[in-house]
Amino acid sequence: AGCPGREDGAPCEVVVEKFPEHALRLPFVTAVVPKSKLTVVHVVRDGIAVARSIAQFGVTAWYGAKGEWKWVKLKQLAVGLRISDVLVQLADSTGPSQMFARGLVEWGVSIALCREDQASLGMTVLEVNYSALCGEKLEEVLTSIEARCGVAHDPEMLELGRGLVRESRP
């Protein structure tokens, strides 16, 4: 059986990857997967929520590299992208709000770099607002994602989404 929504009967070739840091790796992804077969949906969360989430990990959390490497690289990217002098200054924050400030830097750099890379690579990326996806616009957002991915509308997916949103609310 072919993939639902595909008229040519070809099998589904869908990979969903949600790791936020991959917004920083579009050139690598396009080197592995041809752009003609690639659909990128970039879900953008509120920067404050992202920073709070990162701050919960604390300064001793492991980020894939020892010491300050990640934060030094993010600061270098913030400088190179020229997105905000404030973000560059936040990268050097110390004290109790250090990880919150660094979370804001990571959020800002991730969004700016993803947008810059999609432009330089000649890609069209569907950018979706996370709060719209988890709110009243769930059906509209899911419909746009299905259309972009060439997937037939599935009412079960909408109900699953509604159930997940209900479960995540306090």
Side-chain angles (χ1 to χ4, degrees), residues 6-157:
R6 290 194 58 167
E7 295 177 16
D8 62 3
C12 293
E13 296 177 353
V14 177
V15 175
V16 177
E17 212 313 303
K18 69 172 202 93
F19 199 57
E21 284 80 359
H22 287 163
L24 302 170
R25 296 188 178 98
L26 282 181
F28 172 77
V29 172
T30 58
V32 175
V33 179
K35 285 189 284 185
S36 62
K37 294 186 175 208
L38 182 65
T39 301
V40 176
V41 178
H42 184 207
V43 179
V44 177
R45 283 180 66 203
D46 172 72
I48 300 297
V50 170
R52 284 181 181 146
S53 179
I54 290 171
Q56 288 177 351
F57 289 106
V59 294
T60 60
W62 182 74
Y63 291 97
K66 289 184 178 183
E68 297 290 302
W69 184 87
K70 174 183 178 178
W71 308 112
V72 169
K73 292 299 178 188
L74 283 169
K75 180 180 177 181
Q76 290 171 352
L77 285 168
V79 169
L81 290 165
R82 297 187 206 114
I83 52 177
S84 167
D85 290 340
V86 173
L87 279 182
V88 173
Q89 292 168 0
L90 285 174
D92 292 326
S93 293
T94 58
S97 62
Q98 177 184 35
M99 292 307 293
F100 180 81
R102 287 177 166 184
L104 289 173
V105 174
E106 183 171 348
W107 173 79
V109 167
S110 295
I111 292 171
L113 190 59
C114 185
R115 289 176 179 167
E116 182 176 283
D117 285 345
Q118 73 178 347
S120 68
L121 293 167
M123 298 177 66
T124 303
V125 173
L126 176 61
E127 193 170 281
V128 172
N129 182 289
Y130 180 78
S131 58
L133 182 62
C134 294
E136 298 299 318
K137 295 187 177 186
L138 172 66
E139 185 169 7
E140 179 183 326
V141 173
L142 281 179
T143 301
S144 69
I145 293 171
E146 290 169 335
R148 175 59 69 89
C149 295
V151 175
H153 177 68
D154 184 348
E156 287 182 29
M157 187 181 333

